[in-house]
Amino acid sequence: MAHTGFQESWRLLVVIAAIVAPMCQAATPTIANASSNRTVIEEVTGWLRIYSDGTVERLTPPGGEPFTAIVPPYAEPRDGVTVHDIPTGRGVDVRLYLPETAPHRRRPVLVHLHGGGFCISRTSWALYHNFYAPLAAKLRVPIVAVYLPLAPEHRLPAAIDAGHDALLWLRDVARGQSTYGGEQAAAVGRLRTAGDFSRVFLIGDSSGGNLVHLVAARAGEDSPRALRPVRLAGGVLLHPGFAREKKSRSELDNPPSLFLTQEMIDKLLILGVPLGDNKDSLYTNPEMAANAVAHLRMPPMLLMVVEQDLLRDPQVDYGKAMVSEGKMVETVVSRGNVSHIFYLNFFAVKSDKLTAERTEQLIKTIKTFINRH
């Protein structure tokens, strides 16, 4: 199928969703502290509503059900991988993707921080599962995906703290200080046996890419001994959500995508940062983010950018700003008519030749980066 534009792709997705959705366990809206006397005070179309009584309602836009379907964990291998949900005992839960076949030598460990503008999505969504489960099998690496707290109920730095807590849990696992029973014990035991904890890589998509930078910075504030034997060997920022108050040329010129619109940039990021901050905060502004880590130890970074991304320009500027601060950042641009987090659109990956090719290139680039560090 030839690559289609935004509107055509969305119409196709709606048709596919009507077929697939009944077979999916769809994510239900999240509502807290509901009241009968309430009005909508903020809305991100199709994704999020905030009410006057403090209620936060998370939605799925029409046609998006296949992506937000919850994939339950499973201990019987599927396509060479098992999936396990593990409570860490540190106030954060993680999802483990474990290759079925034990490697001949210990393998790097990837820690995944999901996107969603700090406000939406879950690591158990099919959107992520259909990329990260095959990635674990292809690279033969364990992947630890973090269930992040969501804003606006839990604004930054809550997600940064959760990412750091996941690293502390990995340290506990590596030291043999974690205790589980039954299936969870077996899964954590496989992670302990297979993982090379001296080569831990953070990987995140969209706002999760920001979190790769921010969690690495949080770790860099401590003594290297604090995480031993865990060592951050690198970070992979996939189409990170860097932005400024003043719109970039790419925001003005590039089209929206299935997973990123100008409204999402304008509203979700503001809801995610601390109250009183805006998009020029150190959490989202590329130059501010780089300047804030000038004095810190930061691992080498792989920055993946998309030519057609609304946020292309601030992403590229982040890489330049980091290099100017003496940090190691390799920037790789995906060319052609693909857009923000295209590799997570599993329908397009299966049906569109260009999307499939660019996804394969992205995976090879990640593999090369990991093997080099």
Side-chain angles (χ1 to χ4, degrees):
M1 182 182 74
H3 187 81
T4 58
F6 170 69
Q7 296 296 336
E8 292 178 356
S9 295
W10 191 253
R11 283 196 293 270
L12 175 61
L13 181 57
V14 171
V15 173
I16 295 172
I19 300 172
V20 176
M23 298 181 289
C24 299
Q25 180 181 349
T28 56
T30 301
I31 304 177
N33 304 322
S35 168
S36 57
N37 299 316
R38 58 179 187 167
T39 58
V40 176
I41 60 173
E42 186 62 275
E43 182 169 10
V44 180
T45 304
W47 292 105
L48 188 75
R49 290 194 192 110
I50 302 175
Y51 294 88
S52 54
D53 64 352
T55 300
V56 178
E57 183 179 12
R58 292 181 173 83
L59 310 165
T60 296
E65 292 85 357
F67 296 113
T68 64
I70 299 297
V71 179
Y74 48 86
E76 290 297 320
R78 300 178 192 172
D79 299 320
V81 174
T82 60
V83 178
H84 313 265
D85 282 344
I86 307 291
T88 66
R90 290 186 168 274
V92 63
D93 294 340
V94 297
R95 169 162 286 202
L96 298 184
Y97 298 94
L98 297 175
E100 176 185 7
T101 305
H104 298 300
R105 56 187 174 86
R106 290 180 176 268
R107 299 290 293 154
V109 178
L110 272 59
V111 176
H112 173 233
L113 305 166
H114 68 71
F118 309 118
C119 296
I120 55 177
S121 80
R122 295 280 288 169
T123 195
S124 53
W125 278 7
L127 177 76
Y128 301 113
H129 175 87
N130 285 0
F131 178 78
Y132 286 98
L135 186 68
K138 289 177 182 178
L139 302 188
R140 298 186 67 197
V141 298
I143 297 178
V144 179
V146 185
Y147 283 95
L148 296 170
L150 300 178
E153 304 97 314
H154 307 284
R155 290 174 176 263
L156 294 176
I160 303 169
D161 294 338
H164 189 255
D165 285 341
L167 293 179
L168 293 175
W169 174 74
L170 272 183
R171 180 196 65 184
D172 296 342
V173 171
R175 293 178 177 179
Q177 295 175 343
S178 57
T179 303
Y180 295 92
E183 180 188 311
Q184 291 181 346
V188 173
R190 287 167 58 195
L191 172 63
R192 183 181 297 120
T193 300
D196 181 352
F197 298 100
S198 69
R199 296 177 65 207
V200 173
F201 292 81
L202 300 171
I203 183 170
D205 28 70
S206 196
S207 61
N210 300 49
L211 290 172
V212 167
H213 170 89
L214 295 165
V215 172
R218 172 69 179 81
E221 293 173 350
D222 296 333
S223 163
R225 294 188 297 274
L227 285 176
R228 285 180 182 170
V230 167
R231 181 182 70 91
L232 283 183
V236 180
L237 295 81
L238 302 174
H239 316 165
F242 292 111
R244 306 181 186 88
E245 280 297 293
K246 182 178 180 180
K247 286 182 171 44
S248 64
R249 176 55 57 184
S250 59
E251 287 180 78
L252 298 172
D253 291 349
N254 284 344
S257 70
L258 297 180
F259 302 119
L260 188 66
T261 65
Q262 191 60 62
E263 181 189 22
M264 295 172 77
I265 297 171
D266 291 340
K267 294 182 178 181
L268 290 179
L269 295 183
I270 298 301
L271 292 170
V273 299
L275 282 172
D277 279 4
N278 58 25
K279 287 185 290 183
D280 283 330
S281 76
L282 60 84
Y283 301 105
T284 50
N285 180 288
E287 288 82 12
M288 291 286 290
N291 181 259
V293 301
H295 64 292
L296 296 178
R297 294 173 294 102
M298 294 289 283
M301 299 289 190
L302 171 64
L303 171 63
M304 298 296 294
V305 177
V306 189
E307 191 173 42
Q308 294 290 314
D309 199 330
L310 287 169
L311 297 179
R312 177 200 63 209
D313 291 348
Q315 291 165 359
V316 171
D317 291 342
Y318 164 79
K320 292 178 179 178
M322 286 287 283
V323 170
S324 72
E325 297 290 356
K327 311 305 179 186
M328 294 178 58
V329 178
E330 175 187 355
T331 300
V332 178
V333 181
S334 297
R335 306 289 181 183
N337 196 14
V338 289
S339 55
H340 191 73
I341 59 170
F342 62 84
Y343 59 93
L344 295 181
N345 186 341
F346 44 84
F347 292 130
V349 171
K350 291 180 180 179
S351 62
D352 178 63
K353 181 179 179 182
L354 179 62
T355 304
E357 289 176 352
R358 293 295 180 267
T359 299
E360 188 61 31
Q361 291 169 0
L362 180 140
I363 292 172
K364 287 181 179 178
T365 302
I366 295 171
K367 181 179 180 180
T368 299
F369 177 78
I370 291 173
N371 288 343
R372 194 164 63 243
H373 296 284

